[in-house]
Amino acid sequence: MNYIVIDFEATCWKFPKTPEEQEIIEIGAVRLDRYGHLVDKFCCFVQPVIHPKLSYFCMELTGIQQADVDKAKLFPVNYDLLLNWIELQPDYRFIAWGAFDERLLKMNCQFHNLEIFWEQDFINIKNQYAQIQQLAKPIGLMKAIKTEKFEFEGEHHRAFDDAYNTAKIFSKYIDDWVIL
Ligand code: AMP
Ligand code: MG
Ligand code: MG
């Protein structure tokens, strides 16, 4: 089994627009082997097309600058690069903290008319973590990192750093997740 721990940053606004208008602007992922050891990394910016200009709110939240996305490739190109990097072997799962990433990826694929074949392969570990830790309700990634007494390495709300820190939690409980 291969685990692709993944996180996306997306366009966002102080006063939210419809979910269909949110586009991926950064993809970050790490590949873990079946033991939870990090074997590879993936990171790229993506140029949004519905709202090409990032809001100040978004730049403030993520630290991603207009120039970062202006020089980036469009989603279909980066999606292709991501899939090539994953080398979709029969035995892999996407791992994400929360339901947002799967939803966002689905919407962006639909918008660009790209095939969605990974729906069965997405695992949201946020709820599972709450069960493992017997928490009253699911918690955010940053809070989970603090619960583990880990250091958050890098910047929260950057796709690679979020994926990397999610992977630390995933690895710690590698034997406990329900992976169907
Ligand atoms: P995250 O992986 O937590 O960095 O969140 C992914 C994306 O969700 C961000 O790039 C934003 O588009 C959106 N997002 C996260 N937190 C917020 C927030 N507090 N307010 C508005 N949008 C947010
Ligand atoms: Mg996230
Ligand atoms: Mg993030």
Side-chain angles (χ1 to χ4, degrees):
M1 178 72 77
N2 258 268
Y3 301 108
I4 309 296
V5 185
I6 197 155
D7 186 77
F8 301 114
E9 299 310 319
T11 49
C12 54
W13 302 270
K14 188 172 169 191
F15 303 105
K17 299 186 191 292
T18 63
E20 289 74 23
E21 288 175 81
Q22 260 194 314
E23 286 175 278
I24 292 172
I25 54 172
E26 189 178 37
I27 304 172
V30 298
R31 184 209 305 273
L32 306 180
D33 65 15
R34 75 180 92 155
Y35 308 108
H37 296 145
L38 194 154
V39 288
D40 209 356
K41 305 171 182 183
F42 181 93
C43 188
C44 66
F45 291 114
V46 181
Q47 190 181 134
V49 291
I50 304 173
H51 297 285
K53 232 175 143 27
L54 299 183
S55 68
Y56 284 106
F57 178 86
C58 183
M59 291 192 279
E60 188 91 338
L61 179 79
T62 62
I64 297 169
Q65 298 304 305
Q66 187 64 46
D68 296 326
V69 294
D70 281 347
K71 60 175 191 256
K73 301 257 189 321
L74 300 180
F75 179 74
V77 175
N78 283 310
Y79 183 62
D80 218 41
L81 289 174
L82 175 71
L83 297 186
N84 280 330
W85 173 75
I86 292 172
E87 298 169 13
L88 300 171
Q89 294 150 3
D91 241 11
Y92 77 95
R93 295 289 184 280
F94 282 115
I95 307 293
W97 194 270
F100 178 71
D101 300 281
E102 180 178 3
R103 213 164 51 231
L104 184 70
L105 184 60
K106 190 173 178 182
M107 280 187 311
N108 279 233
C109 286
Q110 283 169 342
F111 178 80
H112 290 280
N113 288 316
L114 300 168
E115 194 191 351
I116 296 164
F117 53 85
W118 37 257
E119 263 182 307
Q120 305 303 317
D121 307 329
F122 234 99
I123 308 212
N124 166 5
I125 61 167
K126 184 177 177 177
N127 295 350
Q128 286 200 37
Y129 181 78
Q131 281 172 1
I132 290 171
Q133 294 287 43
Q134 300 188 308
L135 306 174
K137 59 180 170 59
I139 57 175
L141 174 60
M142 187 55 107
K143 205 162 171 195
I145 288 288
K146 287 189 178 140
T147 303
E148 294 300 331
K149 299 195 165 46
F150 289 161
E151 284 285 318
F152 193 97
E153 293 178 66
E155 299 291 330
H156 189 24
H157 301 310
R158 287 305 300 267
F160 179 79
D161 296 339
D162 286 352
Y164 182 82
N165 284 280
T166 302
K168 291 200 294 189
I169 297 176
F170 184 76
S171 298
K172 176 169 175 184
Y173 297 99
I174 189 80
D175 292 322
D176 300 326
W177 308 108
V178 178
I179 308 282
L180 296 174

